Amino acid sequence: MSVEFAAFCELHEPRYQSYARVWFPEHGAAHRVVRLALHAIAEVWPTVLESSNPAAEAWQILRDTVTAEHAAEAGETGLRPDVDRDEDLAILHYVVGLATPEIADVMGGDTANITSQLRQTHRRRATDW
């Protein structure tokens, strides 16, 4: 494991775990899914680092892993995390409790854009309620 990847894991794994627990309430399942995602990221780590936005690339791998693993359990629950970016932002902010700079860091976005998207999502959701 490279020093860069170890640092990435140390920074992002706790946030990834918090996000995964939304979809996998059992701690062991959330932990397993995040480990799968980190393993998938490690397999393509040089490509992730070479991308224009490594955090966004890694976040997409996490989301793909969460979706695939949750779909595998869908027969039991009937639920799938078919959420879009706005819903991910809302989950990270309102459920996980991350501030916008932390969300920007974990998802690979710009803090100002994240703040704007959260406001828009909140306004849209409020009209749906």
PDB file of all heavy atoms in Angstrom, residues 46-67:
ATOM      1  N   PRO A  46      -3.500   4.125  -9.244  1.00  0.00           N
ATOM      2  CA  PRO A  46      -2.740   5.007 -10.139  1.00  0.00           C
ATOM      3  C   PRO A  46      -3.658   5.792 -11.105  1.00  0.00           C
ATOM      4  O   PRO A  46      -3.439   6.978 -11.344  1.00  0.00           O
ATOM      5  CB  PRO A  46      -1.815   4.062 -10.910  1.00  0.00           C
ATOM      6  CG  PRO A  46      -1.655   2.893  -9.996  1.00  0.00           C
ATOM      7  CD  PRO A  46      -2.992   2.740  -9.316  1.00  0.00           C
ATOM      8  N   THR A  47      -4.687   5.131 -11.597  1.00  0.00           N
ATOM      9  CA  THR A  47      -5.635   5.805 -12.499  1.00  0.00           C
ATOM     10  C   THR A  47      -6.428   6.864 -11.743  1.00  0.00           C
ATOM     11  O   THR A  47      -6.679   7.957 -12.269  1.00  0.00           O
ATOM     12  CB  THR A  47      -6.587   4.769 -13.128  1.00  0.00           C
ATOM     13  OG1 THR A  47      -5.814   3.783 -13.787  1.00  0.00           O
ATOM     14  CG2 THR A  47      -7.534   5.426 -14.114  1.00  0.00           C
ATOM     15  N   VAL A  48      -6.827   6.547 -10.519  1.00  0.00           N
ATOM     16  CA  VAL A  48      -7.560   7.519  -9.692  1.00  0.00           C
ATOM     17  C   VAL A  48      -6.699   8.757  -9.484  1.00  0.00           C
ATOM     18  O   VAL A  48      -7.169   9.886  -9.647  1.00  0.00           O
ATOM     19  CB  VAL A  48      -7.974   6.887  -8.333  1.00  0.00           C
ATOM     20  CG1 VAL A  48      -8.483   7.941  -7.366  1.00  0.00           C
ATOM     21  CG2 VAL A  48      -9.025   5.803  -8.546  1.00  0.00           C
ATOM     22  N   LEU A  49      -5.446   8.551  -9.127  1.00  0.00           N
ATOM     23  CA  LEU A  49      -4.544   9.689  -8.895  1.00  0.00           C
ATOM     24  C   LEU A  49      -4.307  10.527 -10.141  1.00  0.00           C
ATOM     25  O   LEU A  49      -4.110  11.736 -10.044  1.00  0.00           O
ATOM     26  CB  LEU A  49      -3.198   9.204  -8.354  1.00  0.00           C
ATOM     27  CG  LEU A  49      -3.166   8.815  -6.886  1.00  0.00           C
ATOM     28  CD1 LEU A  49      -1.769   8.352  -6.504  1.00  0.00           C
ATOM     29  CD2 LEU A  49      -3.611   9.957  -6.003  1.00  0.00           C
ATOM     30  N   GLU A  50      -4.327   9.891 -11.305  1.00  0.00           N
ATOM     31  CA  GLU A  50      -4.088  10.610 -12.550  1.00  0.00           C
ATOM     32  C   GLU A  50      -5.322  11.350 -13.056  1.00  0.00           C
ATOM     33  O   GLU A  50      -5.219  12.185 -13.954  1.00  0.00           O
ATOM     34  CB  GLU A  50      -3.603   9.645 -13.629  1.00  0.00           C
ATOM     35  CG  GLU A  50      -2.214   9.104 -13.352  1.00  0.00           C
ATOM     36  CD  GLU A  50      -1.817   8.000 -14.317  1.00  0.00           C
ATOM     37  OE1 GLU A  50      -2.618   7.657 -15.226  1.00  0.00           O
ATOM     38  OE2 GLU A  50      -0.715   7.469 -14.156  1.00  0.00           O
ATOM     39  N   SER A  51      -6.478  11.058 -12.482  1.00  0.00           N
ATOM     40  CA  SER A  51      -7.705  11.711 -12.940  1.00  0.00           C
ATOM     41  C   SER A  51      -7.705  13.180 -12.530  1.00  0.00           C
ATOM     42  O   SER A  51      -6.941  13.599 -11.664  1.00  0.00           O
ATOM     43  CB  SER A  51      -8.940  11.009 -12.366  1.00  0.00           C
ATOM     44  OG  SER A  51      -9.088  11.328 -11.001  1.00  0.00           O
ATOM     45  N   SER A  52      -8.584  13.938 -13.134  1.00  0.00           N
ATOM     46  CA  SER A  52      -8.664  15.364 -12.808  1.00  0.00           C
ATOM     47  C   SER A  52      -9.257  15.598 -11.422  1.00  0.00           C
ATOM     48  O   SER A  52      -9.077  16.662 -10.844  1.00  0.00           O
ATOM     49  CB  SER A  52      -9.491  16.102 -13.864  1.00  0.00           C
ATOM     50  OG  SER A  52     -10.813  15.606 -13.875  1.00  0.00           O
ATOM     51  N   ASN A  53      -9.961  14.594 -10.878  1.00  0.00           N
ATOM     52  CA  ASN A  53     -10.586  14.737  -9.569  1.00  0.00           C
ATOM     53  C   ASN A  53     -10.567  13.384  -8.844  1.00  0.00           C
ATOM     54  O   ASN A  53     -11.555  12.649  -8.868  1.00  0.00           O
ATOM     55  CB  ASN A  53     -12.013  15.255  -9.726  1.00  0.00           C
ATOM     56  CG  ASN A  53     -12.627  15.691  -8.429  1.00  0.00           C
ATOM     57  OD1 ASN A  53     -12.251  15.239  -7.360  1.00  0.00           O
ATOM     58  ND2 ASN A  53     -13.596  16.590  -8.520  1.00  0.00           N
ATOM     59  N   PRO A  54      -9.458  13.058  -8.189  1.00  0.00           N
ATOM     60  CA  PRO A  54      -9.336  11.753  -7.537  1.00  0.00           C
ATOM     61  C   PRO A  54     -10.430  11.466  -6.507  1.00  0.00           C
ATOM     62  O   PRO A  54     -10.925  10.339  -6.427  1.00  0.00           O
ATOM     63  CB  PRO A  54      -7.958  11.808  -6.874  1.00  0.00           C
ATOM     64  CG  PRO A  54      -7.193  12.775  -7.697  1.00  0.00           C
ATOM     65  CD  PRO A  54      -8.200  13.810  -8.114  1.00  0.00           C
ATOM     66  N   ALA A  55     -10.816  12.461  -5.715  1.00  0.00           N
ATOM     67  CA  ALA A  55     -11.855  12.226  -4.706  1.00  0.00           C
ATOM     68  C   ALA A  55     -13.178  11.862  -5.365  1.00  0.00           C
ATOM     69  O   ALA A  55     -13.891  10.970  -4.884  1.00  0.00           O
ATOM     70  CB  ALA A  55     -12.022  13.450  -3.814  1.00  0.00           C
ATOM     71  N   ALA A  56     -13.507  12.512  -6.471  1.00  0.00           N
ATOM     72  CA  ALA A  56     -14.754  12.198  -7.181  1.00  0.00           C
ATOM     73  C   ALA A  56     -14.695  10.800  -7.784  1.00  0.00           C
ATOM     74  O   ALA A  56     -15.690  10.068  -7.763  1.00  0.00           O
ATOM     75  CB  ALA A  56     -15.030  13.234  -8.267  1.00  0.00           C
ATOM     76  N   GLU A  57     -13.542  10.423  -8.314  1.00  0.00           N
ATOM     77  CA  GLU A  57     -13.381   9.073  -8.868  1.00  0.00           C
ATOM     78  C   GLU A  57     -13.567   8.021  -7.773  1.00  0.00           C
ATOM     79  O   GLU A  57     -14.259   7.023  -7.957  1.00  0.00           O
ATOM     80  CB  GLU A  57     -11.988   8.908  -9.488  1.00  0.00           C
ATOM     81  CG  GLU A  57     -11.764   9.704 -10.747  1.00  0.00           C
ATOM     82  CD  GLU A  57     -12.505   9.154 -11.938  1.00  0.00           C
ATOM     83  OE1 GLU A  57     -12.634   7.915 -12.060  1.00  0.00           O
ATOM     84  OE2 GLU A  57     -12.954   9.962 -12.756  1.00  0.00           O
ATOM     85  N   ALA A  58     -12.945   8.252  -6.636  1.00  0.00           N
ATOM     86  CA  ALA A  58     -13.055   7.303  -5.528  1.00  0.00           C
ATOM     87  C   ALA A  58     -14.489   7.262  -4.996  1.00  0.00           C
ATOM     88  O   ALA A  58     -15.012   6.183  -4.686  1.00  0.00           O
ATOM     89  CB  ALA A  58     -12.087   7.692  -4.417  1.00  0.00           C
ATOM     90  N   TRP A  59     -15.145   8.428  -4.914  1.00  0.00           N
ATOM     91  CA  TRP A  59     -16.531   8.463  -4.441  1.00  0.00           C
ATOM     92  C   TRP A  59     -17.432   7.639  -5.364  1.00  0.00           C
ATOM     93  O   TRP A  59     -18.297   6.906  -4.908  1.00  0.00           O
ATOM     94  CB  TRP A  59     -17.041   9.896  -4.350  1.00  0.00           C
ATOM     95  CG  TRP A  59     -18.475   9.962  -3.955  1.00  0.00           C
ATOM     96  CD1 TRP A  59     -19.547  10.197  -4.770  1.00  0.00           C
ATOM     97  CD2 TRP A  59     -19.017   9.746  -2.652  1.00  0.00           C
ATOM     98  NE1 TRP A  59     -20.720  10.147  -4.052  1.00  0.00           N
ATOM     99  CE2 TRP A  59     -20.418   9.872  -2.747  1.00  0.00           C
ATOM    100  CE3 TRP A  59     -18.451   9.461  -1.420  1.00  0.00           C
ATOM    101  CZ2 TRP A  59     -21.257   9.718  -1.656  1.00  0.00           C
ATOM    102  CZ3 TRP A  59     -19.287   9.316  -0.326  1.00  0.00           C
ATOM    103  CH2 TRP A  59     -20.674   9.436  -0.451  1.00  0.00           C
ATOM    104  N   GLN A  60     -17.217   7.735  -6.657  1.00  0.00           N
ATOM    105  CA  GLN A  60     -18.032   6.973  -7.602  1.00  0.00           C
ATOM    106  C   GLN A  60     -17.830   5.473  -7.406  1.00  0.00           C
ATOM    107  O   GLN A  60     -18.785   4.697  -7.493  1.00  0.00           O
ATOM    108  CB  GLN A  60     -17.721   7.376  -9.042  1.00  0.00           C
ATOM    109  CG  GLN A  60     -18.678   6.770 -10.043  1.00  0.00           C
ATOM    110  CD  GLN A  60     -20.132   7.155  -9.760  1.00  0.00           C
ATOM    111  OE1 GLN A  60     -20.459   8.329  -9.646  1.00  0.00           O
ATOM    112  NE2 GLN A  60     -21.012   6.173  -9.636  1.00  0.00           N
ATOM    113  N   ILE A  61     -16.616   5.067  -7.135  1.00  0.00           N
ATOM    114  CA  ILE A  61     -16.361   3.650  -6.873  1.00  0.00           C
ATOM    115  C   ILE A  61     -17.090   3.216  -5.601  1.00  0.00           C
ATOM    116  O   ILE A  61     -17.704   2.142  -5.566  1.00  0.00           O
ATOM    117  CB  ILE A  61     -14.843   3.371  -6.791  1.00  0.00           C
ATOM    118  CG1 ILE A  61     -14.206   3.573  -8.175  1.00  0.00           C
ATOM    119  CG2 ILE A  61     -14.567   1.963  -6.256  1.00  0.00           C
ATOM    120  CD1 ILE A  61     -12.688   3.575  -8.171  1.00  0.00           C
ATOM    121  N   LEU A  62     -17.046   4.051  -4.577  1.00  0.00           N
ATOM    122  CA  LEU A  62     -17.791   3.735  -3.357  1.00  0.00           C
ATOM    123  C   LEU A  62     -19.277   3.604  -3.664  1.00  0.00           C
ATOM    124  O   LEU A  62     -19.920   2.640  -3.264  1.00  0.00           O
ATOM    125  CB  LEU A  62     -17.571   4.801  -2.282  1.00  0.00           C
ATOM    126  CG  LEU A  62     -18.478   4.631  -1.059  1.00  0.00           C
ATOM    127  CD1 LEU A  62     -18.022   3.463  -0.201  1.00  0.00           C
ATOM    128  CD2 LEU A  62     -18.574   5.910  -0.267  1.00  0.00           C
ATOM    129  N   ARG A  63     -19.841   4.581  -4.383  1.00  0.00           N
ATOM    130  CA  ARG A  63     -21.281   4.561  -4.708  1.00  0.00           C
ATOM    131  C   ARG A  63     -21.632   3.322  -5.518  1.00  0.00           C
ATOM    132  O   ARG A  63     -22.654   2.690  -5.275  1.00  0.00           O
ATOM    133  CB  ARG A  63     -21.665   5.823  -5.488  1.00  0.00           C
ATOM    134  CG  ARG A  63     -21.772   7.046  -4.633  1.00  0.00           C
ATOM    135  CD  ARG A  63     -22.976   6.998  -3.681  1.00  0.00           C
ATOM    136  NE  ARG A  63     -24.194   6.994  -4.459  1.00  0.00           N
ATOM    137  CZ  ARG A  63     -25.141   6.043  -4.396  1.00  0.00           C
ATOM    138  NH1 ARG A  63     -25.032   5.033  -3.589  1.00  0.00           N
ATOM    139  NH2 ARG A  63     -26.211   6.116  -5.138  1.00  0.00           N
ATOM    140  N   ASP A  64     -20.806   2.978  -6.497  1.00  0.00           N
ATOM    141  CA  ASP A  64     -21.057   1.782  -7.302  1.00  0.00           C
ATOM    142  C   ASP A  64     -21.033   0.525  -6.436  1.00  0.00           C
ATOM    143  O   ASP A  64     -21.860  -0.373  -6.612  1.00  0.00           O
ATOM    144  CB  ASP A  64     -20.026   1.658  -8.425  1.00  0.00           C
ATOM    145  CG  ASP A  64     -20.162   2.737  -9.487  1.00  0.00           C
ATOM    146  OD1 ASP A  64     -21.199   3.441  -9.523  1.00  0.00           O
ATOM    147  OD2 ASP A  64     -19.212   2.885 -10.275  1.00  0.00           O
ATOM    148  N   THR A  65     -20.094   0.469  -5.500  1.00  0.00           N
ATOM    149  CA  THR A  65     -20.001  -0.688  -4.617  1.00  0.00           C
ATOM    150  C   THR A  65     -21.211  -0.765  -3.696  1.00  0.00           C
ATOM    151  O   THR A  65     -21.793  -1.843  -3.514  1.00  0.00           O
ATOM    152  CB  THR A  65     -18.690  -0.634  -3.790  1.00  0.00           C
ATOM    153  OG1 THR A  65     -17.585  -0.526  -4.695  1.00  0.00           O
ATOM    154  CG2 THR A  65     -18.526  -1.864  -2.924  1.00  0.00           C
ATOM    155  N   VAL A  66     -21.608   0.358  -3.118  1.00  0.00           N
ATOM    156  CA  VAL A  66     -22.784   0.396  -2.249  1.00  0.00           C
ATOM    157  C   VAL A  66     -24.019  -0.052  -3.024  1.00  0.00           C
ATOM    158  O   VAL A  66     -24.805  -0.875  -2.549  1.00  0.00           O
ATOM    159  CB  VAL A  66     -22.988   1.801  -1.642  1.00  0.00           C
ATOM    160  CG1 VAL A  66     -24.368   1.954  -1.022  1.00  0.00           C
ATOM    161  CG2 VAL A  66     -21.903   2.096  -0.613  1.00  0.00           C
ATOM    162  N   THR A  67     -24.183   0.471  -4.216  1.00  0.00           N
ATOM    163  CA  THR A  67     -25.345   0.116  -5.039  1.00  0.00           C
ATOM    164  C   THR A  67     -25.354  -1.374  -5.370  1.00  0.00           C
ATOM    165  O   THR A  67     -26.380  -2.042  -5.223  1.00  0.00           O
ATOM    166  CB  THR A  67     -25.366   0.946  -6.346  1.00  0.00           C
ATOM    167  OG1 THR A  67     -25.452   2.328  -5.992  1.00  0.00           O
ATOM    168  CG2 THR A  67     -26.538   0.577  -7.221  1.00  0.00           C
TER     169      THR A  67
END
